Amino acid sequence: MSQSEPSTAKRKLSLLAACLGFVVVILDVSVVNVATDALSKDFGGSLSGLEWVINGYTLTFAAFLLSTGSLGDRFDPKRIYQVGFALFAVASFACGASTTLVALIVSRVVQGLGAAMIVPSSLSIVNKSFPDAGERAKAVSLWAAAGGLALALGPVVGGVLIDQLGWRSIFFVNVPIAVAGIWLTQANAPATVRAADAPRRSFDLLGQVLAVVALGTFTAAIIEANGRGWGSAFVIGCLVAFAVATIAFVAAEKRSSDPMLPLHLFGRKAFTSTSLIGVLVNFAFYGLIFVFSLFFQSVWDYSPIVAGLAFLPMTAAIMTANLSCGPLAKRYGARAVLITGSSLAALGYLGTLPAVHSGSYFAIVAQFLVAGFGIGLVVPAMTNAMLSAVDSGNIGIASGVLNASRQLGGLIGVAIMGLIVGDAKSDTFTSGLQTALGWAVAALVGCALLSAFGIHRAAKAKAAAAPAAATAPAAAKAAVPAK
């Protein structure tokens, strides 16, 4: 081992530090869904306010993910990781200390920015800590598995904390984890020293600003339409701003010499198809997680901990499918696994439609298992298909696009399905939930069709490299920083 290489102990502790950051980012996607009822009781906010608590985080996460990878290239991923973790910790404390819903939403937005800095730089730290390719592959798998475990246990952990200590505890718990992560990183993670003549990606400031404006105004329009109506001046103004910002973003990226989103990649059918599949699968999954969290607590009167446990069979099925996906994709190809997974998930949610009126959890648990297993097959196979669609020089950008598209899908899913179900206390909530399930089924049928007609039959070369825990929403597979 050369003097520049970290020792075995330091490598393991560096991996632990990177995993801690990834875990808290994933936890804060899922635990808040279980807190919606508690937040509603404490703040008395509307459904749109609750959607902003969730989507404020997802919005900034998605909007900045394509750019934060380049920050590590420019300023050292170790430093960016520590700054992002510190920002995440401060924002988490502010979330827990919030006395108004507006303060909580603003703090969640800042949390999302910290999360966008943590995820790509954490994987860069893993890559740097394990120079041997074989050891690196194992380390990345452990890093990804940590995110998958956080996703699976998020609703349960959130339910326990909320039930025993109140909703503020789900945010305060991030602070000591962040302190430990920052200290472990400082003590063990190797710093990156770049040669003076090494090329660096530029920061696409104009593209970043336009992306934030486009995503922000689109999110605002969908969420606020529930209370204000589609014909309100605010909603119409947001939609106009979204259209203008989107057109300007495309024009800016076409002119940029180093764009955050190289548009020429969308000329490849498989790249475009997998990007759309990422939007649709997260639209269905995270939209339904949000409305079912409300349904379990507001309609079936579950406590937060019981509501969290209600999701455990689904997330366990997801993890089981993650582990099965690699061998299946290697044998049958990513296209076949995508079609199968999308179809299973659609059938599972379709079977849930009549069961929501039963009042019995046992009437829906089998459908949850089928839907979860299908989702668990789709995401790693989708990742494999995306990486197979681009050359090695664009893998970082491609994975960033896929993760951003998934975050966008989750954001739209929460907003649209929240709009469909309306007030959780309304007599029409259950029928709205059935409509939301129908939308999810349609989205997953769209995934199957895109897989059938947009993915090449031979897309199986990289199946074995897909992370085991590929369902993590902010995404193990999409966190490779751009070169």
Side-chain angles (χ1 to χ4, degrees), residues 347-376:
L347 288 172
Y349 287 135
L350 186 64
T352 311
L353 273 166
V356 295
H357 281 294
S358 67
S360 170
Y361 176 72
F362 293 102
I364 65 171
V365 67
Q367 293 90 319
F368 268 23
L369 287 168
V370 174
F373 194 84
I375 295 290

Side-chain angles (χ1 to χ4, degrees), residues 113-126:
L113 178 58
M117 297 174 70
I118 288 171
V119 173
S121 56
S122 69
L123 187 54
S124 293
I125 288 173
V126 175

Side-chain angles (χ1 to χ4, degrees), residues 101-185:
L101 195 60
V102 172
L104 176 58
I105 292 167
V106 171
S107 300
R108 286 283 284 170
V109 168
V110 179
Q111 250 195 330
L113 178 58
M117 297 174 70
I118 288 171
V119 173
S121 56
S122 69
L123 187 54
S124 293
I125 288 173
V126 175
N127 287 337
K128 179 67 176 177
S129 299
F130 293 87
D132 178 76
E135 290 186 351
R136 187 189 308 124
K138 293 178 182 178
V140 170
S141 294
L142 288 172
W143 175 86
L149 185 63
L151 174 66
L153 296 182
V156 180
V157 171
V160 171
L161 288 173
I162 294 164
D163 209 46
Q164 300 298 315
L165 301 173
W167 66 264
R168 297 179 189 277
S169 63
I170 65 175
F171 297 112
F172 286 143
V173 75
N174 292 335
V175 177
I177 296 175
V179 171
I182 292 169
W183 178 77
L184 284 169
T185 304

Side-chain angles (χ1 to χ4, degrees), residues 450-474:
L450 284 166
S451 303
F453 297 104
I455 307 297
H456 299 299
R457 289 181 181 273
K460 56 174 91 171
K462 300 182 181 179
T471 50

Side-chain angles (χ1 to χ4, degrees), residues 221-226 228-233 235-236 239 416 419:
I222 296 176
I223 291 178
E224 294 302 323
N226 191 31
R228 300 172 186 256
W230 287 103
S232 70
V235 172
I236 292 174
L239 290 174
I416 290 289
L419 181 64

Side-chain angles (χ1 to χ4, degrees), residues 85-96:
F85 220 161
L87 181 63
F88 190 90
V90 171
S92 294
F93 184 85
C95 286

Side-chain angles (χ1 to χ4, degrees), residues 19 39 51 54 99 124 129 133 136 157 168 182 216 218 220 226 246 252 256 323 331 356 362 364 426 449 460 474:
C19 288
L39 291 171
E51 290 174 26
I54 295 172
T99 56
S124 293
S129 299
R136 187 189 308 124
V157 171
R168 297 179 189 277
I182 292 169
F218 180 69
N226 191 31
T246 301
S256 175
L323 296 173
R331 182 171 181 178
V356 295
F362 293 102
I364 65 171
S426 169
L449 292 173
K460 56 174 91 171

